[in-house]
Amino acid sequence: LKAAKSGIFAGIILAVGSALGEATEVSLVSGASGSGPNFDFFKTTNMLASRILIGFKEVSEGSLDFEIRFTMGLVLIIVILFFNIVLNKIKNKVANYEI
């Protein structure tokens, strides 16, 4: 366990980034409803990544809808970077502890 803790935290970092960024899987699993996000585990919801995916082929470049989807992509990148930085800091702190 002592030698594997770095790899375990690297796996956690990759899993969080993948869960936040996988648009197709998220839209299929969450039900892809148009109601927006909610915190009920048993209702369909809509995630940021799935909002970018749904209806993107009908968007023309330069339109307001295109700009909104592009901005949502930037927000998603910022959220993933934030979680990666936080989890890397936690990984570095845990690496210094003796088990």
Side-chain angles (χ1 to χ4, degrees), residues 20-74:
L20 290 173
E22 294 291 334
T24 306
E25 290 82 0
V26 170
S27 67
L28 292 174
V29 171
S30 66
S33 72
S35 63
N38 62 45
F39 298 103
D40 190 358
F41 291 118
F42 302 108
K43 289 186 178 179
T44 59
T45 186
N46 205 344
M47 305 292 281
L48 186 61
S50 62
R51 280 310 308 161
I52 296 170
L53 177 70
I54 297 170
F56 195 74
K57 63 182 175 181
E58 292 98 16
V59 175
S60 61
E61 190 172 340
S63 67
L64 180 61
D65 198 27
F66 179 83
E67 299 295 330
I68 290 171
R69 290 178 193 276
F70 188 80
T71 305
M72 288 185 339
L74 290 176

Side-chain angles (χ1 to χ4, degrees), residues 67-87:
E67 299 295 330
I68 290 171
R69 290 178 193 276
F70 188 80
T71 305
M72 288 185 339
L74 290 176
V75 169
L76 186 62
I77 289 171
I78 290 169
V79 168
I80 291 171
L81 284 174
F82 171 76
F83 276 109
N84 279 340
I85 291 169
V86 168
L87 290 172

